[in-house]
């Protein structure tokens, strides 16, 4: 049972990777199930065994990718806290974790950002929910920082959290598209200064 579940999970991962690459390259409408199956190295029937439609596959893909990002951010914040760091350290750790994730999954990130701007997609509600989950991880750190006095009570938690997530996404995509000669450390360092100055500098 466990072996079958593991095998199915591995198959879904192959389908996710194939779908995100193809859709990022040629768009959702132009990508066929046959192409996804071929890229994943599985039979077409395997796609429909795991997902009832291409739309369900894409919706699952979006949820899967954003959940990975959410978990990476949460882990980074927890590790910063375990290491004795404060809230700003946790935010900084999450920025780095976000950059590492985007560097590892650039096609997914491009697709995710593009889809956030579309309002006529069947998976719009799913995107809204999973985006909320990512932002809430950052919100929690900000709220805790305000509650224990490390951050100013003037911090607009929802807006600041959304701005930090957006900053990482946009900066990382700009880095990859227009400044690929920069290292991850350089990009992280620049964003870290922004957070230290704008959020970390808000303390009483």
């Amino acid at each position: 049972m466990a072996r079958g579940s593991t095998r199915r999970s591995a198959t879904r991962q192959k389908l996710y990777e194939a779908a995100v690459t193809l859709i990022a390259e040629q768009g959702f409408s132009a990508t066929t199930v046959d192409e996804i199956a071929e890229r994943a190295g599985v039979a077409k029937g395997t796609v429909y065994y795991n997902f009832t439609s291409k739309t369900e596959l894409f919706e699952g893909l979006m949820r899967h990718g954003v959940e990975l990002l959410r978990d990476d951010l949460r882990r980074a914040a927890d590790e910063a806290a375990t290491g004795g760091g404060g809230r700003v350290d946790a935010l900084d750790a999450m920025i780095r974790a976000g950059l590492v994730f985007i560097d590892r999954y650039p096609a997914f990130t491009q697709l995710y950002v593009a889809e956030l701007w579309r309002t006529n997609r069947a998976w719009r509600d799913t995107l809204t929910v999973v985006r909320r989950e990512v932002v809430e991880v950052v919100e929690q750190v900000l709220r805790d920082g305000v509650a224990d006095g490390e951050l100013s009570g003037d911090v607009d938690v929802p807006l600041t959290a959304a701005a930090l997530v957006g900053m990482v996404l946009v900066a990382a995509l700009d880095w990859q598209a227009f400044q690929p000669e920069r290292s991850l450390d350089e990009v992280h360092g620049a964003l870290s200064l922004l957070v230290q100055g704008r959020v970390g500098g808000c303390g009483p």
Side-chain angles (χ1 to χ4, degrees):
M1 182 79 168
R3 193 179 308 145
S5 176
T6 300
R7 186 163 52 244
R8 188 175 187 196
S9 178
T11 299
R12 283 182 166 238
Q13 184 62 35
K14 285 182 183 177
L15 291 171
Y16 286 140
E17 291 172 0
V20 73
T21 302
L22 286 166
I23 295 170
E25 288 174 357
Q26 56 196 36
F28 178 78
S29 298
T31 300
T32 66
V33 171
D34 284 342
E35 289 174 316
I36 293 172
E38 182 179 357
R39 179 69 68 95
V42 302
K44 181 178 178 180
T46 302
V47 180
Y48 289 116
Y49 175 74
N50 285 274
F51 304 96
T52 60
S53 66
K54 185 175 72 169
T55 295
E56 184 183 300
L57 168 58
F58 188 77
E59 186 173 354
L61 166 68
M62 289 288 104
R63 185 185 296 109
H64 176 69
V66 177
E67 285 174 353
L68 286 177
L69 173 59
R70 177 202 64 199
D71 292 346
D72 282 358
L73 296 183
R74 184 175 290 143
R75 190 178 305 111
D78 289 345
E79 288 176 355
T82 301
R87 310 303 179 186
V88 175
D89 296 311
L91 293 172
D92 188 54
M94 286 194 287
I95 287 174
R96 186 173 186 84
L99 291 173
V100 169
F101 176 90
I102 294 165
D103 190 43
R104 186 182 305 147
Y105 304 110
F108 170 79
T109 307
Q110 292 167 20
L111 205 52
Y112 172 66
V113 172
E115 290 300 321
L116 282 176
W117 291 98
R118 302 181 194 275
T119 58
N120 61 341
R121 298 297 206 190
W123 48 80
R124 179 67 186 177
D125 288 347
T126 296
L127 272 183
T128 299
V129 170
V130 294
R131 173 203 165 274
R132 180 77 224 136
E133 291 177 359
V134 169
V135 174
E136 281 178 349
V137 176
V138 183
E139 282 185 2
Q140 188 58 56
V141 172
L142 290 170
R143 268 194 215 94
D144 290 345
V146 170
D148 62 22
E150 183 179 346
L151 303 178
S152 168
D154 293 333
V155 171
D156 185 320
V157 170
L159 189 57
T160 301
L164 287 172
V165 172
M167 176 186 74
V168 172
L169 287 172
V170 174
L173 290 178
D174 185 86
W175 160 42
Q176 294 183 337
F178 304 111
Q179 305 180 66
E181 72 282 358
R182 288 182 178 272
S183 69
L184 190 149
D185 287 339
E186 284 183 285
V187 179
H188 172 229
L191 298 186
S192 180
L193 284 175
L194 285 174
V195 172
Q196 295 285 346
R198 301 301 298 168
V199 178
C202 288

